[in-house]
Structure formats: C-alpha cells, structure tokens
Amino acid sequence: LNIKNLYAIIGGSLGGGIGWEMLSKNNDLAEIFIPIACDYKTHDWLHAQCLVQQFLLNGNDEPLQKARIHAMLCYRTPQSLNNRFQNKFNQEKQKLESEDWLTYHGKALDERFSLKSYQLMNHLLMNIKTDERGLSKIKARMHLISVDTDLFFSASEIRMCFNKLKTEKEDVFYHEIKSIHGHDAFLMEYEQLNYIIKNIL
C-alpha cells in the first residue's frame, strides 16, 4: 500500500498493544496514538490469565468454549455480573441465568472462531513486549485511555505508564472511563469513549 504516515492509530485491548509495537518500530508513523484499555507490555496478572487460557485451549474437551467462559470473567467484573443477573434462576433450563449467558458466549465463539486463531490471539496477548527504552521516542501525541475497573489491563498500570512517559514527553495525556463493567467497558460505555475521542481528534 506504500502508506508512510497515518493521522491516528486507535486500538483497543490487543489492538492497542499492536499499536505500541508499530510505533516503537517506526517512531513517526502517526500524528496521534490512542491506546484504549491496554498497555505497552503484558503484566503478570494478564500473563497468568493467558496461561489459564493456554491450558484450556490445549485441552481436548470443548477448548474454545471453556476458554471463552473463563475470558468473559476477565472481561467483566463481579459487580457487573451480579448486577445483571442477581442470582436469577432459569426454571426451564434448570440453571442460573449467568451460567446460561456464559455457556451461550462459549458456544457462539466456538461457532465463529478457529482454535488456531484463538490460540494465536492468546499468544499475542501473553507476549506484548514493547521496548520500554523506546517509548519516549514515539513522536505521536499520546492519549492513554483506561477503564477504572479493568481486570485485564488495570488502570493503575496504565497510569504508571502515563506517569513515566510524562517525565520524558510533553504531549501525553491520560483519560479514564468510569464503569462497573471492567475491560469490556471500552465496548459498552461508547458514549464516554466517543466523548473522549471526539475531543482528541
């Protein structure tokens, strides 16, 4: 395509991690960088969750379904699930509605994802390793967006990244989505996210 420059790179979760890698390898690729609910590296907590995913994906009995059910619990928070389902029991299916919801998401992913593609995604999440020494060399104006209840890429880690960059670079900013929904809030709290991005661009 011979594209040499971009106006903005915007990426959520793994997409943001890939954005960090792109800019560390080509410092002046974009004018603006907006990583959403992600960090420049995989921290221990996320690595541990990916390790559990790896164990589940390497199993023989419904690996995608089981991995997705576990992942859904990382994408949300206890408060998010408890508020939504309130221990409601589905008499027809003889199970909690929360269990039915998790089973549905597991089956839905199993129908539209191949095992190898999900394993690759998990491998990439497990190995985000942007060279820390090169972060301040990125020329793009940076707007780091976190979710205050994120269990996957915690807001505290993203704030640490912001505070470190702020000592080395002027045009770096921090924004935070407020939500009970955890990591998935960047997909669910679209009004907050739209407001933040609209004011950046």
Side-chain angles (χ1 to χ4, degrees), residues 54-72:
Q54 194 176 76
F55 291 150
L56 294 170
L57 290 167
N58 288 337
N60 294 321
D61 184 25
E62 299 178 323
L64 271 174
Q65 187 172 342
K66 289 178 178 176
R68 181 62 170 180
I69 287 171
H70 167 255
M72 290 300 294

Side-chain angles (χ1 to χ4, degrees), residues 14 34 37 101 113 147 157 164:
L14 177 57
I34 308 174
W101 178 77
F113 252 82
V147 178
E157 298 289 359
K164 176 180 172 16

Side-chain angles (χ1 to χ4, degrees), residues 17 20-21 24-25 39-42 47 123-132 135:
W20 280 112
E21 283 288 336
S24 73
K25 293 184 182 339
D39 203 4
Y40 69 94
K41 65 179 177 180
T42 301
H47 188 275
H123 171 77
L124 293 173
L125 270 172
M126 206 171 186
N127 291 282
I128 300 170
K129 297 175 183 174
T130 309
D131 188 350
E132 200 168 328
L135 296 182

